[in-house]
């Protein structure tokens, strides 16, 4: 960072540090060894950053007719964020109606199930486990009613969704320009998932669109994706190859971020961080109307 002449930065920690018993010590160790100050953001902030990163796609005229509601999901390593969004296309604005933060991500679920994640029974268990956490959110927001009226766009941002799109397109080498903003039908997505679910871990590692690094976690991501599809049956998903970093950059550019911009440290000094543990799904609603 210093060699590049960087003057300001923003650094954040998410679900792992929100939940970990040693989250404070971990961040203090980073501060002591590097001088970098990292802020732990809330689950709501994480959902809002994902929403900021995808805002331009929500108002993209290619997705006609433009819909008044969006359901955005971000499948992470330690958690999955789901945002229920109101869109104002005339003003190119969007607002968060409510969000759900599930303490279930591709890493946490994979570590919990181990090798059984690569069996048909283990996969069904993962889907059911995530699916059970979504009904309370539906009860509050009546999202299915809006879907029945054709008023909802489903948008996914994560390595799972971009991988499914890449495999569906038959890409030998990942091409972001073909993925970001692409529309993937649920028929296509589920077809890919069934194909991957028929492979063992070695087969996934050897798959040109998966590879050994992603093979360990892809089925957990697929299970989270399918649980969302079962809960809210939208016929297609808009794929967004963007995420928290994009949202952070956009906020920094706009100078309206609630995350303080930190000068690149020239000396080391310890700092303490407040940490609130999360033991289960975090759910907040800003209004009672869907």
């Amino acid at each position: 960072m210093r060699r590049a002449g960087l003057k300001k930065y923003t650094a954040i920690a998410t679900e792992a540090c929100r939940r970990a018993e040693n989250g404070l010590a971990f961040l203090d160790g980073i501060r002591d060894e590097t001088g970098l100050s990292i802020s732990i953001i809330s689950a709501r902030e994480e959902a809002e950053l994902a929403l900021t990163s995808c805002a331009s796609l929500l108002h993209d005229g290619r997705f006609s007719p433009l819909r008044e509601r969006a359901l955005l999901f971000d499948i992470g390593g330690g958690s999955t964020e789901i945002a229920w969004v109101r869109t104002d296309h005339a003003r190119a604005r969007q607002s968060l109606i409510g969000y759900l933060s599930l303490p279930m991500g591709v890493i946490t679920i994979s570590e919990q199930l181990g090798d059984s994640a690569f069996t048909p029974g283990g996969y069904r268990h993962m889907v059911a486990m995530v699916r059970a956490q979504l009904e309370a959110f539906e009860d509050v927001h009546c999202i299915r009613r809006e879907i029945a009226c054709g008023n909802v766009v489903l948008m996914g941002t994560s390595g799972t969704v971009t991988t499914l799109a890449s495999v569906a397109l038959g890409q030998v080498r990942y091409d972001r320009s073909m993925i970001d903003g692409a529309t993937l039908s649920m028929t296509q997505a589920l077809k890919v998932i069934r194909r991957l679910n028929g492979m063992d871990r070695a087969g996934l590692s050897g798959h040109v669109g998966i590879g050994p690094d992603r093979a360990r976690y892809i089925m957990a991501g697929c299970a989270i994706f399918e649980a969302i599809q079962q809960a809210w049956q939208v016929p297609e998903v808009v794929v967004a190859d963007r995420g928290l970093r994009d949202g952070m950059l956009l906020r920094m550019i706009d100078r309206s971020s609630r995350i303080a911009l930190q000068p690149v440290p020239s000396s080391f000094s310890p700092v303490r961080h407040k940490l609130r543990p999360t033991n289960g799904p975090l759910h907040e609603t800003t209004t009672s109307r869907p």
Side-chain angles (χ1 to χ4, degrees):
M1 290 165 67
R2 292 192 188 112
R3 284 198 300 269
L6 192 67
K7 302 298 182 184
K8 299 284 185 178
Y9 76 95
T10 299
I12 63 170
T14 56
E15 181 70 6
C17 282
R18 288 197 294 264
R19 297 182 66 195
E21 292 181 0
N22 67 339
L24 291 174
F26 175 70
L27 294 184
D28 283 348
I30 291 175
R31 173 72 178 189
D32 292 341
E33 294 187 30
T34 69
L36 295 174
S37 177
I38 300 178
S39 301
I40 301 174
I41 65 170
S42 67
R44 180 187 178 92
E45 185 94 27
E46 190 170 351
E48 288 178 339
L49 282 171
L51 176 57
T52 298
S53 72
C54 296
S56 62
L57 284 178
L58 290 176
H59 304 290
D60 196 320
R62 291 177 298 168
F63 309 121
S64 183
L66 293 173
R67 296 168 177 87
E68 297 177 359
R69 297 288 184 270
L71 187 64
L72 173 66
F73 63 92
D74 181 3
I75 303 171
S79 66
T80 296
E81 318 305 323
I82 299 175
W84 180 229
V85 180
R86 178 184 294 106
T87 53
D88 182 348
H89 298 296
R91 299 182 180 181
R93 295 179 181 175
Q94 59 287 325
S95 57
L96 190 63
I97 300 172
Y99 74 95
L100 176 66
S101 181
L102 298 176
M104 299 177 177
V106 298
I107 296 176
T108 50
I109 293 181
S110 295
E111 290 180 345
Q112 181 179 344
L113 270 74
D115 290 340
S116 66
F118 301 96
T119 67
Y123 180 80
R124 289 192 296 270
H125 175 67
M126 290 189 292
V127 173
M129 185 169 57
V130 178
R131 178 76 173 80
Q133 301 291 326
L134 304 178
E135 282 306 305
F137 194 66
E138 165 60 28
D139 290 343
V140 172
H141 296 290
C142 303
I143 298 170
R144 292 180 195 135
R145 183 178 65 191
E146 295 285 347
I147 292 173
C149 295
N151 199 31
V152 178
V153 60
L154 180 67
M155 185 171 292
T157 170
S158 69
T160 296
V161 182
T162 57
T163 298
L164 288 176
S166 180
V167 173
L169 289 174
Q171 290 187 344
V172 176
R173 183 182 297 273
Y174 184 80
D175 183 354
R176 181 184 186 275
S177 66
M178 298 291 293
I179 300 299
D180 187 49
T183 300
L184 180 66
S185 75
M186 282 302 174
T187 300
Q188 289 177 296
L190 293 176
K191 184 178 180 180
V192 171
I193 290 174
R194 298 292 173 264
R195 193 190 321 158
L196 299 180
N197 204 18
M199 301 180 182
D200 57 16
R201 185 167 171 177
L204 292 169
S205 296
H207 191 289
V208 67
I210 308 297
D213 292 336
R214 195 173 293 277
R216 181 179 178 184
Y217 306 115
I218 185 63
M219 295 319 302
C222 289
I224 296 171
F225 177 92
E226 186 162 353
I228 293 170
Q229 183 273 332
Q230 288 182 7
W232 298 296
Q233 297 185 15
V234 179
E236 59 189 21
V237 59
V238 177
V239 180
D241 186 354
R242 49 187 77 189
L244 300 186
R245 283 174 293 184
D246 302 82
M248 291 163 65
L249 285 168
L250 288 168
R251 284 189 171 188
M252 291 171 72
I253 291 169
D254 192 50
R255 302 297 182 185
S256 63
S257 175
R258 289 176 286 135
I259 305 172
L261 299 182
Q262 304 288 340
V264 174
S266 57
S267 61
F268 303 137
S269 59
V271 66
R272 299 295 298 177
H273 304 268
K274 293 182 178 180
L275 178 66
R276 179 172 62 83
T278 301
N279 297 319
L282 187 59
H283 173 199
E284 179 177 302
T285 306
T286 56
T287 176
S288 60
R289 294 186 61 189

